[in-house]
């Protein structure tokens, strides 16, 4: 059931440091987004969520991949305040960074800070 899956993922979050990625897959309409949203809320409630982003098919600009990394960087700067000066410095020194490759953006806005 969904409750069992959520409990399993919560245990993974708390205990499995050897496998840093949880891949949730299934057919359309099977509840993946609802489970992911519940997990994100749980992590946020426990002050363990650095950032989140949900793509929704058909929602226009909100689900464009171009917004993914900048949105995560912004959320990271809020949830981990020590990263904010680093992210701000990158944005000030490279104002066109959103036109760079996603891997470059990820490196500069997420990994380095």
């Amino acid at each position: 059931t969904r409750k069992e899956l959520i409990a399993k993922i919560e245990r993974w979050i708390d205990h499995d440091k050897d496998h840093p990625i949880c891949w949730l897959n299934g057919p359309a309409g099977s509840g993946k987004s609802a489970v992911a949203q519940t997990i994100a809320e749980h992590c946020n409630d426990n002050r363990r969520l650095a950032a989140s982003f949900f793509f929704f098919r058909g929602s226009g600009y909100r689900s464009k991949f171009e917004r993914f990394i900048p949105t995560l960087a912004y959320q990271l700067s809020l949830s981990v305040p020590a990263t904010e000066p680093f992210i701000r410095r990158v944005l000030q020194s490279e104002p066109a960074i959103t036109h760079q490759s996603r891997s470059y953006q990820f490196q500069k806005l997420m990994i380095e800070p």
Side-chain angles (χ1 to χ4, degrees):
T1 68
R2 188 173 292 172
K3 287 183 180 183
E4 291 169 354
L5 176 59
I6 290 168
K8 182 177 180 180
I9 293 171
E10 288 174 346
R11 284 191 303 276
W12 168 80
I13 289 169
D14 292 334
H15 302 291
D16 193 345
K17 306 303 182 220
D18 294 331
H19 300 91
I21 295 174
C22 175
W23 187 273
L24 192 60
N25 67 330
S30 63
K32 298 178 301 292
S33 293
V35 168
Q37 182 70 38
T38 300
I39 294 298
E41 290 168 359
H42 168 79
C43 290
N44 188 55
D45 291 347
N46 291 298
R47 302 183 51 86
R48 297 185 69 188
L49 182 70
S52 65
F53 190 98
F54 290 87
F55 293 95
F56 292 103
R57 187 172 302 148
S59 67
Y61 189 66
R62 182 169 182 258
S63 286
K64 297 291 184 190
F65 191 70
E66 298 86 57
R67 299 187 67 186
F68 177 64
I69 295 170
T71 299
L72 291 183
Y74 171 73
Q75 291 180 16
L76 183 64
S77 75
L78 297 176
S79 63
V80 184
T83 64
E84 191 269 338
F86 298 101
I87 294 169
R88 180 185 302 277
R89 194 171 309 124
V90 170
L91 294 172
Q92 288 172 340
S93 66
E94 298 185 52
I97 194 166
T98 58
H99 301 293
Q100 298 289 334
S101 71
R102 302 300 174 248
S103 61
Y104 183 79
Q105 288 179 33
F106 191 74
Q107 182 65 37
K108 291 294 189 178
L109 294 172
M110 302 296 296
I111 300 297
E112 290 180 13

